[in-house]
Amino acid sequence: MTSPIALVDGTGFPWPVYGSGTSLRDTDCSTQIAAALRAGFRHIDCAEMYRNAAAVGAGIAQSGVPRGELYVTTKLLPVPAGATAADSLRGALRTMQLGHVDLCLVHEPVGHRDLAETWRQMEACRTLGLTKSIGVSNFRVRDLEEIRQGGASVPVVNQIEVHPYVYEASLPVLQYMREHHILPVAFSGLAPLWRVQGGPLNPILDAIASRMRDTTGGAVTRAQVLQLWLRKKGIPYTTTTSTPDRLYEYLAVAQLPDLDDDDEQQIDAAGRTAHHRFFCKYIDEP
Ligand SMILES: NC(=O)c1ccc[n+]([C@@H]2O[C@H](COP(=O)([O-])OP(=O)(O)OC[C@H]3O[C@@H](n4cnc5c(N)ncnc54)[C@H](OP(=O)(O)O)[C@@H]3O)[C@@H](O)[C@H]2O)c1
């Protein structure tokens, strides 16, 4: 694990994060969660939307890692009429058999009757001790502005899709977040490897991995180069895998040297030649 990043509310954000979404959605992922924790991950990302909270809780229990050494993030869906975010979070905690989460996010800005009211309910979750920190996910500048104008506190993070094929389009929201001390947390950072066939990045990633292999004397993979690119940008990431060896491949990034500026610029330039967004396509709408 890399050193935790200080959040604006004074807490620390451990990373890399192991996610229970995408390929693990709707599955009994307890074995994968336990394996990730035993390998060394200390931060699990889950969500109401993934419908696997009981398995996440079971995996945490099976791992034997004490709760005090763990950081758990969950994400809430819009609440039904008459209910509150605290009702949803209490339900999630019961299912996971946890007393609190460390970070609770509004999963998406869409589908809420009143986003500023949703944010006030998130603040209530923190006051009630159900979560230590609160943040958002998939928020655009306009959504962040809406809650800034209606709420008392800023979200500590905005979890968003970031990889080289979407980086250019993300610059305005990243700039806004920098100005307001909101940490970006990437998901789908490895999308160029498995959601895009071929693609202009591949030869660049191979060339950088090959050069790094020569300088470090060990294996360096395309996935590690993409994760180093996020680190170079100052963006911690949520990833996942069902392949046990990949857990160690991801964790080994912490021991690799930073990309140099030229590597970063080459990846940026190749990423700019194609735009691919895989989640929340409304983000690209004017
Ligand atoms: N807030 C949101 O709206 C949102 C949206 C999406 C995701 N997330 C969170 O972020 C987590 C990670 O999302 P993600 O799955 O999109 O992350 P990712 O890091 O982009 O991709 C992880 C996947 O990459 C595959 N992979 C790794 N190396 C590869 C290689 N060399 N070639 C081909 N495939 C390779 C792995 O496959 P194997 O499993 O086969 O090893 C794994 O399933 C989710 O679990 C969830 O917690 C949040």
Side-chain angles (χ1 to χ4, degrees):
M1 295 286 289
T2 314
S3 301
I5 299 176
L7 299 177
V8 70
D9 66 0
T11 61
F13 182 91
W15 67 292
V17 185
Y18 183 85
S20 66
T22 45
S23 55
L24 300 181
R25 272 178 78 143
D26 291 301
T27 67
D28 175 359
C29 58
S30 51
T31 309
Q32 287 91 338
I33 297 289
L37 293 173
R38 288 195 188 115
F41 281 86
R42 286 295 175 270
H43 183 160
I44 301 292
D45 178 78
C46 46
E48 222 183 337
M49 190 190 279
Y50 305 157
R51 292 184 295 265
N52 57 8
V56 171
I60 290 173
Q62 275 167 35
S63 74
V65 177
R67 175 69 181 92
E69 291 176 21
L70 276 186
Y71 191 100
V72 180
T73 293
T74 194
K75 306 188 273 303
L76 299 183
L77 295 169
V79 293
T84 64
D87 296 330
S88 300
L89 184 48
R90 280 199 193 92
L93 291 171
R94 259 195 312 277
T95 309
M96 287 192 284
Q97 306 261 303
L98 296 177
H100 71 278
V101 289
D102 299 277
L103 177 61
C104 185
L105 309 181
V106 180
H107 202 139
E108 290 185 31
V110 293
H112 299 265
R113 283 181 296 280
D114 175 350
L115 206 47
E117 166 58 18
T118 296
W119 189 246
R120 283 190 285 277
Q121 293 188 12
M122 295 294 283
E123 291 180 319
C125 289
R126 189 183 49 200
T127 305
L128 290 164
L130 304 173
T131 181
K132 292 195 169 158
S133 299
I134 53 174
V136 298
S137 180
N138 298 306
F139 271 43
R140 302 158 288 193
V141 169
R142 72 178 85 151
D143 308 313
L144 293 167
E145 264 300 288
E146 198 173 329
I147 60 169
R148 190 183 71 80
Q149 285 167 15
S153 56
V154 285
V156 294
V157 310
N158 184 15
Q159 188 188 106
I160 53 174
E161 180 174 341
V162 190
H163 48 72
Y165 292 133
V166 88
Y167 182 69
E168 181 84 357
S170 309
L171 287 174
V173 76
L174 289 170
Q175 171 69 23
Y176 178 97
M177 288 158 62
R178 195 170 309 118
E179 284 162 13
H180 292 85
H181 311 291
I182 302 168
L183 180 73
V185 177
F187 64 77
S188 291
L190 302 183
L193 302 184
W194 62 289
R195 292 186 189 272
V196 178
Q197 294 307 312
L201 269 174
N202 290 353
I204 311 280
L205 299 177
D206 285 340
I208 295 170
S210 161
R211 181 185 50 73
M212 289 187 80
R213 249 173 252 139
D214 294 341
T215 51
T216 62
V220 178
T221 66
R222 283 179 176 179
Q224 289 176 324
V225 175
L226 278 172
Q227 292 178 339
L228 287 168
W229 175 82
L230 286 166
R231 186 173 87 191
K232 177 96 173 155
K233 299 283 185 201
I235 304 179
Y237 44 85
T238 300
T239 183
T240 196
T241 181
S242 297
T243 312
D245 285 351
R246 284 205 175 122
L247 294 170
Y248 297 96
E249 177 186 342
Y250 296 163
L251 289 166
V253 171
Q255 274 75 54
L256 290 174
D258 285 338
L259 295 185
D260 57 37
D261 293 346
D262 185 51
D263 297 333
E264 181 188 12
Q265 282 157 18
Q266 284 190 53
I267 294 173
D268 288 354
R272 271 197 297 273
T273 63
H275 176 75
H276 298 286
R277 183 183 298 282
F278 301 98
F279 292 86
C280 301
K281 291 182 187 277
Y282 58 77
I283 291 176
D284 289 328
E285 288 164 12

